[in-house]
Amino acid sequence: MISSVLASAGAIDYGRVFADLAIILIVAKVASELFERIHVPAVLGEIVAGIVIGPSMLGLIDPSDAMRILAEIGVIILLADVGLEMDLKELRRVGRASMLVAILGVVLPMSSGVLAGSLLGESLNASLFLGAALAATSVGITARVFGDLRALSSTEARIVLGAAVADDVLGLVILTVVTRIVVQGSVDVAGVISTIGLAVGFLIIAGAVGLTLVPRLLAWVGNRAVSPATVGVLAAGITFGFSAAASSAQLAPIIGAFVAGTALARTDHHDRIARDFKALGSIFIPVFFLQIGIDTDVTKFFSGHVLIVAAVLTVIAIVGKMLAAVGAWGTNTDKLLIGIGMVPRGEVGLIFATIGVSVGVFQEDLYAVVLLVVLLTTVITPPFLKWRLSSNDSASAEPEDENVTEEPVGGWVRVINDEVQLHGVPPSRLVLPLALQSSLHAATAQPNDALLDWMHTHRNSTLQWDEETSQMFLDVLMRGNARSWRFLDVTSVITRALPEVSTAIRARRGDASELDPTHLAQMPTVEALRTKVGRATLADSSLLLAAFIYDFSTDRSVVSLVDRLSLPPSVRHETRSLLSASALMYATCTTEPYETNTRVLAQLADFLGSPLMVERCRLLTEARGDLEDWQFSTLIEIVTGVQELLAHPELIEGLENSLEAVRRRDAIALTTNPLVIDRIEHAAAVYILAHEADVLVRHATLVEPAPRSRTARVSVHETNTPHEWEINIATRDMRGLLARICAVLAERGLEIISADLATWPDSAVLDSFIVRSVAKPNATQIAFELERKLRSRLENPRRLMQSVDAQLNVRLDNDAHPWHSVLTVTGADQPGLVQAVATVLAKANINVHHARITTKDNAAADRFEVSTRHGRKVGDQALQKVISSLS
């Protein structure tokens, strides 16, 4: 048995499979990025890329069963994602106009497509699949154009999007029926009825099981699971299980995936599952779209028969959807705009074509026909939609407040019968407050047409924040949900009032797997705070804002949101402090192994300033990422250490009995020298907190009086560790100082274990090193050689070994410290390494404020806190210069 399995496995060329997968994933991402930049759907870019790398052009990838299996996994995730984003309550609320448009948009193109296929000489089975491929509508492409032009709240957009959602469900039923008919090989009334009954029955039974049992199962598992990934993995298992059930019922597996997605959408863990599926889909879904291109024979595009059939079906696809707009008759809408919005076929039509190939109905020519129809309808829709929307906008300018009424009793906005209703005609200056108020109601109720129409009428009005609306925004953060944010997105409030957030959302929507761009990206950090600490604690606005900003921190301009809102200066300061301190705390607790670092604890204590802010920082740090058990323990250890500095009011920095003040007084009490006392009084708080009182006195005594330029004083002291010595060097600050000192120590054969730097406003510097040496270093000789170095030009970096074993890893982290950049250099230890790094930093005009040199088992791990000569954080360009010089 085992031998047969190994024999069959041996027939698989794993190297070829992995190479193909690598090419597909890289090419898919490059293509999607390029097409998004020219405002063409990324899905089309991936299909074109598949054609290019496929056997019909470059031949980099050949069709294989392994890639088809991965593509099948991609389409399962794709349909599960559609189900996850589908709101069944909204589907039930789809109005008469949307349902009629959906039905006509399915019946007209499908019947015409079947008829045209038959007339063009195709078989009945092929004609059925051709008609089915023309029936679906892609909601993502149309919704994105409506959103870009601030028209999602228009009646036309609501009708089109409602019809497109209904189309998805109708299309899946049609796909099931057509597939069964084709597989059975005959068409009769009884067979069609039984097939429809089976499809509908499966949807009802599987839907009932999914909607009742799946949420309970995931709630039970989620409350007991230790690993945060358990829920997402279980959700994926449920999805594939439903797909297998559909396949066993001789239905398309994607039917089961769709039903599973709708069931998972009803769980309390929807956001977590959606994020996990997005990550999974970003790998497998591009394989599906590129596989479509790989399987396409591009020469068929030049076949006269293919072009004629594609042209006829494209006309039918466009005209059929345009005529479907008749379903909106009786509404005060632009029927042409509705018809254009229904035209694109997108990913749904491609799924139909792929299944047509799998059941043996489509040959290469018909496959190319459907691909051409999908490409054409998808490409032409956005420009025509923009043209029609722009024409309507130019014809209707921002209306004046002529028909404004008095505010009715009970307010402008009220919830009646689970519907958010607008009463009266408010002035345009109330767009922002009414939108925020309505978004809270929209969390549990459906906005009515009057409210959406009024919002759409004033979609171009300018929105200004004040204290009232800023507080309302915080209320939405505390009490709103995804439906609240979707309302603000649909009404273009986010675009106008929070442009920084809108920019970040657009960046996220660039993902080719994003099927529903009207759905606002989730805010996992805000949600985690709600889950872990309860809503009452979130009255702290700075913690709320910091969590909100972190969730959109892919765009650093989002931080300016703090200044846009009308908030007290204290809240702005606390928000920025929490963001910076949390970055430092998170970076520290996720660094393995963690060693108690008094300097970091002192920095956090100095930066946060109070025990309450430390606790807020802990909550934010814990909520912003899934910490492993050891990292969580480290977080608690760090917080405990900081709270030990700030646990009591009398120890808060700035008060007479603060820890800093106590240590400073203890040091001053050990000396009577007024110059030494003055030096201690003007030392930085972080430096004071990082050293004991006697060490502070020893350092200050060496520094006073301040050394003249290019002179140095050196003292050497024995440590508690054998053969390790503390070398203190007092001098004046200058470019390349650390590099010169390291050069002298290296020439003396002294191995640097650690280094610490302190500076004063008068440019006095105290550099303290722990070095390893059998004999006690000669302080006089070190001072003499250092002064000679200080008077000469900075030498070029010492040449390091460039073997594979000696390669260095240089990393820059601008989030690990509130004020400075943190540069880490790791790799095999070698003579002169610290000197070389320090010299390179000096040559790049980078100042070193603190250094921690660590060597263990011949491996170096050196950490430098650095900044530019102007005191700013170091950028990527300077980092590349450092890396180049070290290489």
Side-chain angles (χ1 to χ4, degrees):
M1 176 67 179
I2 296 177
S3 60
S4 63
V5 172
L6 292 175
S8 62
I12 301 176
D13 186 349
Y14 290 103
R16 181 70 260 177
V17 171
F18 294 142
D20 288 351
L21 184 59
I23 294 172
I24 286 175
L25 292 178
I26 294 172
V27 170
K29 182 50 64 178
V30 171
S32 63
E33 287 285 342
L34 290 176
F35 273 64
E36 280 290 337
R37 292 178 187 274
I38 60 175
H39 305 291
V40 175
V43 170
L44 300 187
E46 293 178 346
I47 295 172
V48 172
I51 294 174
V52 172
I53 66 174
S56 61
M57 291 190 70
L58 297 181
L60 298 179
I61 302 291
D62 291 322
S64 66
D65 291 338
M67 287 302 108
R68 287 195 176 94
I69 292 174
L70 295 179
E72 188 68 19
I73 294 175
V75 77
I76 294 296
I77 298 170
L78 188 69
L79 266 294
D81 213 1
V82 173
L84 268 170
E85 302 299 343
M86 180 167 291
D87 192 330
L88 295 180
K89 292 182 180 179
E90 289 194 11
L91 183 60
R92 289 197 297 268
R93 294 190 184 106
V94 168
R96 178 192 62 83
S98 291
M99 188 56 70
L100 285 176
V101 170
I103 293 173
L104 290 175
V106 169
V107 173
L108 292 177
M110 182 173 179
S111 58
S112 301
V114 173
L115 179 61
S118 300
L119 293 176
L120 291 171
E122 302 298 339
S123 66
L124 178 59
N125 287 345
S127 299
L128 284 172
F129 259 96
L130 285 175
L134 302 182
T137 295
S138 174
V139 64
I141 296 167
T142 299
R144 178 171 299 190
V145 177
F146 277 124
D148 290 343
L149 297 179
R150 303 180 184 177
L152 277 173
S153 58
S154 65
T155 305
E156 291 86 356
R158 300 201 301 273
I159 291 175
V160 170
L161 297 181
V165 171
D167 263 5
D168 283 339
V169 179
L170 293 174
L172 290 174
V173 174
I174 291 172
L175 173 65
T176 301
V177 174
V178 171
T179 304
R180 286 272 296 180
I181 290 174
V182 169
V183 171
Q184 288 177 350
S186 62
V187 180
D188 58 80
V189 176
V192 172
I193 293 176
S194 65
T195 299
I196 294 176
L198 178 62
V200 174
F202 178 83
L203 289 173
I204 294 175
I205 295 174
V209 171
L211 296 176
T212 55
L213 297 183
V214 169
R216 296 178 183 178
L217 173 63
L218 287 178
W220 186 84
V221 172
N223 292 332
R224 292 164 176 78
V226 176
S227 171
T230 300
V231 171
V233 173
L234 179 59
I238 291 172
T239 299
F240 290 116
F242 271 66
S243 301
S247 181
S248 300
Q250 296 183 343
L251 302 175
I254 61 173
I255 301 291
F258 175 78
V259 174
T262 59
L264 295 172
R266 300 288 294 273
T267 68
D268 294 335
H269 301 282
H270 168 271
D271 297 346
R272 174 63 197 237
I273 295 171
R275 292 198 304 273
D276 289 346
F277 273 44
K278 283 289 186 293
L280 197 61
S282 64
I283 296 175
F284 289 103
I285 293 176
V287 178
F288 168 68
F289 288 123
L290 261 80
Q291 188 65 42
I292 291 174
I294 292 170
D295 289 335
T296 301
D297 183 357
V298 74
T299 61
K300 296 296 182 181
F301 289 160
F302 304 101
S303 166
H305 176 70
V306 169
L307 293 176
I308 291 173
V309 176
V312 171
L313 293 182
T314 300
V315 172
I316 291 174
I318 295 173
V319 174
K321 291 295 185 179
M322 297 287 286
L323 292 177
V326 175
W329 198 265
T331 61
N332 184 22
T333 55
D334 183 348
K335 309 303 185 297
L336 179 58
L337 180 60
I338 294 174
I340 296 174
M342 294 291 293
V343 167
R345 286 346 187 241
E347 65 286 332
V348 183
L350 297 174
I351 294 173
F352 277 58
T354 304
I355 294 178
V357 172
S358 67
V359 298
V361 173
F362 280 178
Q363 301 303 319
E364 290 181 346
D365 54 349
L366 289 184
Y367 188 72
V369 165
V370 175
L371 187 58
L372 279 175
V373 173
V374 170
L375 290 174
L376 288 172
T377 57
T378 302
V379 168
I380 67 173
T381 299
F384 276 103
L385 266 181
K386 292 179 180 179
W387 162 76
R388 190 60 183 175
L389 284 168
S390 300
S391 299
N392 292 344
D393 280 346
S394 61
S396 58
E398 177 69 19
E400 300 291 337
D401 291 335
E402 296 178 354
N403 300 320
V404 172
T405 62
E406 293 290 333
E407 182 176 0
V409 178
W412 297 107
V413 176
R414 282 173 275 169
V415 178
I416 300 176
N417 296 328
D418 292 330
E419 188 177 63
V420 187
Q421 298 182 359
L422 178 68
H423 295 267
V425 182
S428 58
R429 59 181 173 80
L430 295 181
V431 169
L432 181 55
L434 290 183
L436 294 169
Q437 180 185 353
S438 300
S439 69
L440 281 175
H441 296 318
T444 55
Q446 180 74 10
N448 72 346
D449 290 341
L451 175 60
L452 292 172
D453 288 341
W454 182 79
M455 289 289 179
H456 178 67
T457 300
H458 298 286
R459 63 189 178 279
N460 294 319
S461 60
T462 303
L463 306 182
Q464 296 291 337
W465 292 98
D466 55 25
E467 292 183 6
E468 178 186 3
T469 52
S470 296
Q471 184 57 52
M472 294 176 71
F473 171 74
L474 296 175
D475 290 340
V476 175
L477 276 180
M478 285 189 288
R479 300 189 287 118
N481 59 18
R483 292 168 58 89
S484 303
W485 293 101
R486 181 172 181 178
F487 175 83
L488 295 175
D489 190 31
V490 165
T491 54
S492 72
V493 170
I494 291 179
T495 303
R496 291 175 288 164
L498 302 170
E500 303 89 352
V501 177
S502 179
T503 301
I505 292 174
R506 282 200 302 272
R508 297 183 180 187
R509 287 175 178 169
D511 190 345
S513 64
E514 182 65 57
L515 297 179
D516 183 9
T518 67
H519 181 71
L520 184 69
Q522 298 295 323
M523 294 175 287
T525 310
V526 174
E527 293 299 329
L529 284 172
R530 288 176 170 176
T531 302
K532 294 179 180 179
V533 303
R535 298 191 178 189
T537 307
L538 291 181
D540 170 48
S541 54
S542 60
L543 181 58
L544 264 178
L545 285 172
F548 178 77
I549 291 171
Y550 176 76
D551 281 329
F552 293 102
S553 59
T554 51
D555 186 340
R556 293 189 177 272
S557 66
V558 175
V559 179
S560 64
L561 169 69
V562 178
D563 298 320
R564 181 177 297 279
L565 298 174
S566 182
L567 298 169
S570 59
V571 173
R572 298 179 187 179
H573 174 73
E574 287 181 0
T575 302
R576 295 182 184 277
S577 298
L578 283 172
L579 286 168
S580 298
S582 177
L584 173 58
M585 189 175 286
Y586 187 85
T588 304
C589 72
T590 54
T591 301
E592 186 178 12
Y594 169 74
E595 297 178 0
T596 302
N597 190 325
T598 306
R599 184 182 180 86
V600 172
L601 298 182
Q603 289 169 345
L604 285 169
D606 183 54
F607 198 66
L608 292 169
S610 71
L612 178 60
M613 282 290 288
V614 175
E615 178 61 15
R616 292 172 182 169
C617 187
R618 181 193 69 80
L619 291 173
L620 179 61
T621 305
E622 184 179 343
R624 60 181 281 177
D626 298 321
L627 298 176
E628 298 180 16
D629 290 342
W630 72 269
Q631 293 172 336
F632 182 78
S633 301
T634 302
L635 174 63
I636 299 302
E637 182 179 347
I638 293 171
V639 170
T640 302
V642 177
Q643 291 288 28
E644 286 179 356
L645 304 179
L646 303 169
H648 304 287
E650 67 271 13
L651 296 182
I652 298 177
E653 182 189 355
L655 298 181
E656 183 180 355
N657 292 320
S658 69
L659 178 62
E660 175 204 351
V662 170
R663 183 163 296 176
R664 205 182 293 267
R665 282 204 306 269
D666 288 345
I668 291 174
L670 297 178
T671 181
T672 57
N673 188 327
L675 296 178
V676 173
I677 292 174
D678 182 73
R679 184 66 61 183
I680 295 174
E681 288 178 341
H682 290 87
V686 173
Y687 167 71
I688 294 293
L689 290 170
H691 297 281
E692 295 299 327
D694 58 332
V695 176
L696 295 173
V697 173
R698 189 166 66 217
H699 289 173
T701 302
L702 185 66
V703 174
E704 281 297 333
R708 297 190 307 276
S709 177
R710 304 185 187 279
T711 63
R713 301 192 195 102
V714 179
S715 65
V716 178
H717 304 274
E718 189 175 4
T719 67
N720 294 327
T721 303
H723 307 307
E724 290 189 4
W725 309 87
E726 176 187 342
I727 299 179
N728 298 317
I729 301 174
T731 183
R732 291 277 184 165
D733 197 12
M734 65 179 299
R735 176 173 173 267
L737 176 61
L738 179 61
R740 290 176 165 90
I741 296 176
C742 291
V744 171
L745 297 181
E747 291 170 1
R748 302 290 299 173
L750 304 175
E751 179 186 354
I752 300 175
I753 300 174
S754 66
D756 189 30
L757 288 72
T759 60
W760 279 266
D762 62 352
S763 297
V765 176
L766 189 286
D767 290 356
S768 182
F769 296 84
I770 301 296
V771 301
R772 184 177 288 116
S773 174
V774 176
K776 181 179 180 179
N778 188 316
T780 303
Q781 190 65 34
I782 293 174
F784 175 79
E785 294 179 4
L786 177 58
E787 289 183 355
R788 182 171 55 84
K789 294 279 187 184
L790 294 176
R791 295 188 180 97
S792 60
R793 296 184 60 184
L794 182 64
E795 299 174 355
N796 289 326
R798 178 169 180 167
R799 183 175 296 276
L800 300 175
M801 292 186 293
Q802 298 298 321
S803 64
V804 175
D805 295 335
Q807 286 185 351
L808 297 176
N809 178 31
V810 182
R811 186 170 66 90
L812 184 70
D813 190 345
N814 279 322
D815 294 327
H817 193 284
W819 310 285
H820 304 145
S821 299
V822 175
L823 185 80
T824 56
V825 180
T826 57
D829 190 29
Q830 53 182 296
L833 174 60
V834 179
Q835 175 195 353
V837 174
T839 304
V840 166
L841 293 177
K843 294 280 187 180
N845 292 320
I846 296 176
N847 295 332
V848 179
H849 302 278
H850 179 260
R852 186 180 68 196
I853 313 302
T854 305
T855 304
K856 184 177 181 180
D857 298 331
N858 293 324
D862 301 338
R863 182 180 187 273
F864 302 87
E865 293 177 12
V866 297
S867 70
T868 67
R869 60 181 179 179
H870 301 296
R872 300 190 180 96
K873 292 193 175 186
V874 177
D876 291 336
Q877 185 175 359
L879 173 64
Q880 293 304 319
K881 186 176 180 180
V882 170
I883 295 175
S884 175
S885 299
L886 287 176
S887 300

